[in-house]
Amino acid sequence: MKVSIKLVATYRKHLPPSAKGNVYEMEAPAGIQAAELLTQFNVPLAPTSVVLVNGRTPEQDYVLQEGDVLCAFPAVGGG
Amino acid sequence: MKPDLSRYLRQTIFPGIGEEGQQKLLAARVVIIGCGATGTVIANHLARTGVGRLTIVDRDFIELNNLQRQLLFDEQDLADNLPKAIAAERKLRAINSDIEVRGVVSDVNAENIEDLIEGATLVMDGSDNFETRYILNDACLKHNIPWIYTGAVSTYGMSQTIIPGQTACLRCLMRDIPPPGTTATCDTAGVVGPLVGAMAGISAAEAIKLIVGQGDLNRGIIHFDVWYNSFEQFANSGPQPDCPACRQRNFEFLNQEKGGQTVSLCGRDAVQIRQPGAGKLSLAQLGDRLSEISDVTACNDYLLRFTVDNYEITLFADARAIIKGTQDESVARGLYAKYVGT
């Protein structure tokens, strides 16, 4: 199952060198949850992070589907 | 005297605004919550663009390290020990005397937010902490007022235009406040000045579009990292079906079921303590007393500042204090109790 993981801002460092910019296309095992995949990349989960699948906030136990774009970035608190 | 609208000529020439849009801007009332880095840039834009009534609310005073990015302030403001809301009010009046500008020196909290935003066309987030934003989110949803989130830290920032009932709200996106110490702050990660201008500029443009009712609003999230030129725009997901705030209208932060009275401050080795219902303090009297046991460095109608045990304590007339030199909330509460009293 092909999915893309997009890591923004300080989370870029968690992407492998073969990533194109801030996006990494990969084969993910069927049935894997969004949170599980982020954990594999050492990305903190919500509420420390903003997590989106195809631009939308997923359910906590959302199972990734073919073609999904999983994105995460740190919650931006400063101002 | 009728205001001279020629000052707005360069934007009324633009068909998206025009004279009709300008009249809408002049009729608008915008409340800016927080007047630090993003807040000063937003306030500057909205005053120059002719938003008719601007209210700027801020709890803080000006420090030297603010001048790197907080564009309304200068060294004289620092020397005068001015609260940010007062310095901003003076600057904005000098920029545009045809509009009504009101600076309010106050902490924004669950007890006063509804009064502060009453009658607002739009509320702009210029704050530097999550708790204020969650309270703001609740209050704006409750009163059906749109608001615009602006966050900026290090080299990246985020803008989210929140229209009650139409777009996702803050709690749709981030259900709960990130635990203390888990996210970057201006203190731990720093902040690059031009990032502030970029993010606050995006949000100010959103405000103009929203008020004039033209252009494409950001109904999702804009995320920008100026260091990597990474510009991301996420589509509007709409209100989340299970959102406690915008769907269930359970305003946990406004109702004070969540959140606290003591907060660490972004970008500062400091803690704020507030005392709801404490009333107005006699700062001069307190200053006289404290001068016997500490080094009082400033005392005016707005604030009293003194240094003791290597901590700098700034006390405001509403009994709120900012205690610099610690991030430990219990230490801060102890100092407050010791020198100010509870």
Side-chain angles (χ1 to χ4, degrees):
Chain A
M1 179 179 69
K2 277 193 175 170
V3 298
S4 297
I5 181 164
K6 177 186 279 191
L7 300 181
V8 179
T10 53
Y11 291 173
R12 289 170 67 108
K13 65 186 178 196
H14 297 300
L15 287 170
S18 56
K20 292 176 183 170
N22 58 12
V23 180
Y24 180 58
E25 293 181 7
M26 61 177 292
E27 283 290 332
I32 191 168
Q33 293 183 359
E36 290 176 316
L37 191 60
L38 288 174
T39 302
Q40 288 183 11
F41 282 85
N42 296 314
V43 173
L45 303 176
T48 301
S49 302
V50 176
V51 177
L52 301 167
V53 175
N54 305 327
R56 296 168 185 269
T57 308
E59 296 288 324
Q60 201 168 3
D61 56 355
Y62 178 79
V63 175
L64 289 170
Q65 307 293 313
E66 171 80 25
D68 276 351
V69 178
L70 171 61
C71 177
F73 55 85
V76 189
Chain B
M1 192 172 68
K2 201 173 177 182
D4 181 359
L5 297 184
S6 66
R7 69 158 61 223
Y8 306 118
L9 188 60
R10 292 297 182 272
Q11 66 190 32
T12 54
I13 286 173
F14 170 61
I17 296 179
E19 289 187 11
E20 188 182 342
Q22 189 61 53
Q23 291 303 326
K24 290 179 180 174
L25 289 163
L26 288 165
R29 181 187 173 216
V30 176
V31 178
I32 301 172
I33 301 294
C35 195
T38 54
T40 52
V41 177
I42 290 167
N44 188 20
H45 279 304
L46 297 188
R48 290 178 190 275
T49 209
V51 167
R53 287 180 295 165
L54 273 180
T55 301
I56 298 112
V57 190
D58 194 281
R59 64 189 178 190
D60 218 343
F61 52 88
I62 299 165
E63 293 182 285
L64 181 60
N65 69 28
N66 296 156
L67 303 187
Q68 166 247 3
R69 66 199 180 284
Q70 301 188 12
L71 300 188
L72 284 180
F73 308 137
D74 58 36
E75 293 179 0
Q76 189 59 52
D77 300 323
L78 181 68
D80 292 342
N81 289 304
L82 288 179
K84 291 180 179 179
I86 301 300
E89 179 188 286
R90 292 178 184 178
K91 291 282 165 51
L92 295 171
R93 283 182 173 167
I95 288 166
N96 189 348
S97 59
D98 287 342
I99 63 169
E100 181 185 314
V101 182
R102 187 168 71 104
V104 178
V105 184
S106 177
D107 182 42
V108 175
N109 53 60
E111 290 165 1
N112 64 8
I113 182 77
E114 292 178 87
D115 288 338
L116 289 167
I117 68 171
E118 187 180 2
T121 312
L122 169 69
V123 179
M124 300 298 289
D125 161 39
S127 70
D128 63 357
N129 66 89
F130 284 112
E131 183 163 344
T132 300
R133 292 181 176 113
Y134 278 77
I135 293 169
L136 182 56
N137 187 61
D138 276 359
C140 285
L141 291 171
K142 181 178 176 182
H143 294 281
N144 199 30
I145 300 171
W147 73 282
I148 301 176
Y149 179 121
T150 310
V153 68
S154 182
T155 63
Y156 56 91
M158 182 185 122
S159 175
Q160 182 184 7
T161 300
I162 296 168
I163 304 174
Q166 295 184 29
T167 68
C169 79
L170 179 58
R171 293 198 73 188
C172 294
L173 185 69
M174 294 186 281
R175 186 59 48 91
D176 288 305
I177 293 184
T182 62
T183 58
T185 68
C186 303
D187 197 25
T188 59
V191 57
V192 175
L195 167 76
V196 173
M199 298 316 303
I202 288 170
S203 292
E206 285 292 300
I208 294 169
K209 288 185 285 182
L210 197 146
I211 292 167
V212 304
Q214 297 289 327
D216 291 338
L217 281 176
N218 164 35
R219 292 175 180 271
I221 302 161
I222 289 174
H223 189 284
F224 187 26
D225 187 329
V226 294
W227 214 248
Y228 296 101
N229 290 325
S230 155
F231 188 94
E232 307 285 344
Q233 187 168 14
F234 301 102
N236 173 31
S237 59
Q240 292 287 304
D242 60 345
C243 177
C246 70
R247 281 296 197 198
Q248 298 166 12
R249 300 187 71 76
N250 183 11
F251 303 125
E252 295 168 300
F253 291 89
L254 188 61
N255 297 337
Q256 301 186 59
E257 294 158 26
K258 292 192 171 186
Q261 306 289 335
T262 307
V263 290
S264 292
L265 302 179
C266 176
R268 319 259 296 277
D269 182 25
V271 172
Q272 176 185 260
I273 294 178
R274 62 186 187 89
Q275 298 288 337
K280 190 172 167 63
L281 296 183
S282 170
L283 295 176
Q285 196 176 2
L286 193 57
D288 285 342
R289 178 164 64 81
L290 287 167
S291 64
E292 296 174 11
I293 55 168
S294 69
D295 182 18
V296 175
T297 55
C299 187
N300 56 33
D301 289 342
Y302 310 108
L303 61 83
L304 165 67
R305 182 176 300 135
F306 61 99
T307 305
V308 65
D309 296 340
N310 295 321
Y311 299 100
E312 182 188 89
I313 301 175
T314 302
L315 186 66
F316 294 83
D318 63 359
R320 183 171 49 84
I322 292 175
I323 298 173
K324 195 172 179 183
T326 183
Q327 293 182 332
D328 186 326
E329 293 177 4
S330 63
V331 169
R333 281 195 295 271
L335 288 163
Y336 190 100
K338 190 173 178 182
Y339 294 107
V340 182
T342 54

